[in-house]
C-alpha cells in the first residue's frame, strides 16, 4: 500500500517505521530535517511532495490545525478513495468537522487517535481508539494491522474516537497530578518516598500513571518521555470540549492549573510527573535527587 | 494469645474471625448486638467488659475518638506489657498522641492502619501499614500474622503508618471522584459507557479505583461496599493533616467537595462510585440502570 506517514515525532516516527517493516511503500513527511533523517528515504518536508497515487495517510501531528494543513497539502497526491487515518489528539467537534470536509470529496476518514507511547509505536503495537464508517475501517485495515496491537472500533460516526481519547487524557492528566500531590504531601509529612511508593503501588490507591511516573520522580529522572506541555495541551482540549457541552469538571480543571503552573515555571519540557515541582515551589519540600 | 477485637464492623468482624481461626482466645467488642451475634461468643458490648489479662487489642473502630474511648475502657483489663494495635484511620498527630499516652503506662503501641476491604479481612489477608518500636512489632507479631497478608514496617515512630494511610486515601478518593467525572463526561459526549470502560481499563488512564468502582456504576449497583460518607470522613482527615502542615491540596480539596455534595444529596450511604450522581444532578446525564 502506498502510504504517507505525516508527522515523524515520538509516536509518528515509530509508526512510520512499523508500516515500512510491514512491507508498505511509505513516504515520511516532516518539516524537521532531523526527523526525516531518523526515518530515512523516502522522506519529504511537506505533504505537498507526497507521490501521486498515495492510497492512505497516517496523520500523527500535534493537533487539528496541523492535521487540516497537512490534508490540504496532500489532497492533490491522493488516489481516488484513499483513506485518511487521523490520529492527532483533537476535540470531537474538530474530528467531525474534518470528516465532514473530506468524506464528500470521495475519501474515507477514520477518527483514530492513538495511545501507548514511543516504544509501543516503534513496535507497531499502539492502541487505536477509532470511529468511522465500515468502509473506512476496511480501507484502513492494512495500515492499522501494521501499527496497532489493538484497534477499538467505537462506532460508525467520526468524533467518538476523539471523545474517548479526550476522556482518557482527562483521567491520565488528573492521575499524574494527584500522584504528584500525594507524593509531595507524603514527603512533607515525613514519609519515606520509596516506602510510600511501594505501599501505594501494591494497594487500591494505585494508578497506571502513579506507578509509571512516580518511579521517575523517585530517581530524579526528568528527561521527557511525555512532557508537561503535552498535558497543558490535552487538558485544554478537555476543557474546550466540556465548555462546548456546558459540563463542569472540577478535578480536570484543578489538574490543568497545576500543569499550567509547571509550564509557567519553565518545566514544560520536563517529564510530566515533574509537575510535582509546583508543590516543591509552594512548600519547599526536598525531592529525591538523581542517583 | 488473649486478644480483644474492638469494633466488629465490615473490616473488624472479618479480622476478629481470622484471629479466632488462628487459634487465639478472642473476645469481640461492639455496642451493636447484631455485630456481636455475627461474631458469636465471647462478645461484649464494651471494652470495659474484656477479660482480665488481655494481652493484645486490635482496635478497628471508626476514628481516633472511638479508639481513645475504647482504650480507656479496656485499660483495667490489660496484662502488663500488652500490645495495642491501633488500626482505625486517623491523622498522624492523633496516632502520635495516643502512643504518647499509652507507651509511658507500660504498653506497646503500634500505629497500624489497614486496607483491603471486607473480603480480605475475612480471609486474614489485610494489608497493614505500620510504624512503631521493634518491641511493639514483636509483641504484635502473632496477631499480625493472623490478620495480614502483608505488613509494611514503615518506621520506628508512631504516626508514619497513619501518614501513609492518609496519603493513600487521598489517592483513592481522588481516583474515585475523577473516575466519576470522566465517565460522566463521556456519557454526556455520547460515548458508550461500556466501551469507554473497556478502553480505559486496558490503557494508561486506568486506576484500581476506576476499574473497581465504575464496574458497579455500569450495572447501576449502588449497594455500599465502601460508602460515600467514608470518603467524606477520610478526605476531611486528609484536609486536616494538610492544614496542620500548611500544605495546599487542589485536587484532594475538589474531590472532598464532590463527596460532600453527594452526601448532601442523600447519597452518603451509597457505594462511593455513585459520587457520579453529583454530575448527574448538575448535567442531567442518564446513568446506566440496574439490569
Amino acid at each position: 500500500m502506498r502510504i504517507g506517514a505525516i508527522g515523524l515525532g515520538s509516536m509518528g516516527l515509530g509508526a512510520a517505521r512499523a508500516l515500512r517493516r510491514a512491507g508498505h511503500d511509505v513516504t515520511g513527511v516532516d518539516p524537521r530535517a532531523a526527523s526525516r533523517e531518523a526515518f530515512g528515504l523516502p522522506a519529504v518536508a511537506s505533504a505537498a511532495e507526497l507521490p501521486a497515487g498515495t492510497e492512505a495517510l497516517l496523520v500523527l501531528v500535534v493537533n487539528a490545525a496541523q492535521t487540516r494543513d497537512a490534508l490540504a497539502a496532500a489532497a492533490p497526491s491522493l488516489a481516488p478513495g484513499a483513506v485518511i487515518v487521523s490520529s492527532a489528539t483533537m476535540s470531537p467537534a474538530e474530528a467531525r468537522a474534518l470528516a465532514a470536509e473530506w468524506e464528500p470529496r470521495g475519501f474515507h476518514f477514520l477518527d483514530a487517535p492513538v495511545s501507548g507511547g514511543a516504544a509501543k509505536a516503534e513496535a507497531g503495537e499502539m492502541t487505536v481508539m477509532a470511529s468511522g464508517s465500515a468502509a473506512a475501517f476496511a480501507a484502513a485495515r492494512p495500515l492499522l494491522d501494521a501499527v496497532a496491537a489493538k484497534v477499538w472500533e467505537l462506532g460508525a460516526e467520526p468524533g467518538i474516537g476523539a471523545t474517548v481519547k479526550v476522556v482518557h487524557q482527562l483521567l491520565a492528566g488528573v492521575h499524574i497530578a494527584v500522584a504528584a500531590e500525594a507524593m509531595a504531601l507524603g514527603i512533607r509529612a515525613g514519609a519515606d518516598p520509596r516506602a510510600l511508593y511501594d505501599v501505594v503501588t501494591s494497594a487500591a490507591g494505585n494508578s497506571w500513571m502513579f506507578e509509571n511516573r512516580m518511579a521517575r520522580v523517585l530517581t530524579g529522572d526528568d528527561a521527557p518521555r511525555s512532557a508537561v506541555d503535552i498535558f497543558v495541551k490535552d487538558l485544554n482540549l478537555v476543557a474546550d470540549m466540556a465548555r462546548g457541552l456546558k459540563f463542569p469538571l472540577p478535578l480536570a480543571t484543578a489538574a490543568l492549573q497545576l500543569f499550567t503552573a509547571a509550564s509557567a515555571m519553565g518545566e514544560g519540557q520536563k517529564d510530566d510527573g515533574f509537575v510535582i515541582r509546583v508543590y516543591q515551589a509552594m512548600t519547599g519540600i526536598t525531592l529525591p535527587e538523581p542517583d
Side-chain angles (χ1 to χ4, degrees), chain A:
Chain A
M1 208 173 184
R2 181 167 291 180
I3 298 176
I6 303 178
L8 301 172
S10 64
M11 298 288 283
L13 177 61
R17 285 171 166 161
L19 286 169
R20 190 167 54 189
R21 253 195 340 268
H24 295 294
D25 170 12
V26 184
T27 300
V29 181
D30 202 294
R32 297 165 295 190
S35 299
R36 293 196 301 277
E37 206 161 301
F39 177 67
L41 293 175
V44 295
S46 159
E49 304 167 56
L50 281 169
T54 293
E55 299 160 284
L57 295 177
L58 174 63
V59 190
L60 251 169
V61 294
V62 169
N63 55 27
Q66 288 189 5
T67 301
R68 182 174 298 277
D69 291 347
L71 294 182
S77 308
L78 294 180
V83 59
I84 298 163
V85 178
S86 170
S87 295
T89 299
M90 65 181 69
S91 76
E94 290 166 330
R96 283 191 293 266
L98 285 172
E101 193 172 325
W102 290 92
E103 285 178 336
R105 298 173 66 172
F107 302 113
H108 298 294
F109 187 93
L110 208 60
D111 168 24
V114 298
S115 79
K120 293 277 190 188
E122 185 68 40
E125 293 176 358
M126 298 192 300
T127 296
V128 181
M129 311 169 194
S131 67
S133 67
F137 273 107
R141 187 62 58 193
L143 185 158
L144 296 173
D145 284 347
V147 301
K150 172 72 185 176
V151 178
W152 293 97
E153 303 194 14
L154 297 167
E157 298 298 324
I160 307 174
T163 296
V164 170
K165 177 69 192 286
V166 170
V167 171
H168 178 273
Q169 292 307 91
L170 184 166
L171 286 160
V174 172
H175 289 167
I176 294 167
V178 74
E181 181 165 301
M183 183 61 78
L185 175 64
I187 289 171
R188 176 69 185 82
D192 174 67
R194 165 60 62 179
L196 180 58
Y197 179 86
D198 290 342
V199 173
V200 166
T201 54
S202 72
N206 197 25
S207 71
W208 194 98
M209 284 295 179
F210 184 96
E211 186 159 350
N212 187 264
R213 300 309 209 264
M214 290 304 108
R216 299 178 199 158
V217 167
L218 286 179
T219 58
D221 173 12
D222 66 2
R225 284 69 155 192
S226 173
V228 162
D229 279 345
I230 298 286
F231 274 98
V232 174
K233 170 179 80 71
D234 284 2
L235 288 173
N236 270 309
L237 259 182
V238 170
D240 287 346
M241 169 173 149
R243 187 189 311 143
L245 295 166
K246 281 200 188 177
F247 199 95
L249 297 177
L251 289 164
T253 303
L256 170 56
Q257 297 307 313
L258 289 163
F259 283 107
T260 302
S263 189
M265 286 168 54
E267 305 285 334
Q269 292 307 307
K270 299 292 165 52
D271 205 52
D272 50 27
F274 285 81
V275 68
I276 196 170
R277 287 184 179 146
V278 177
Y279 293 92
Q280 180 186 37
M282 292 192 291
T283 66
I285 56 169
T286 301
L287 294 177
E289 296 283 337
D291 299 331

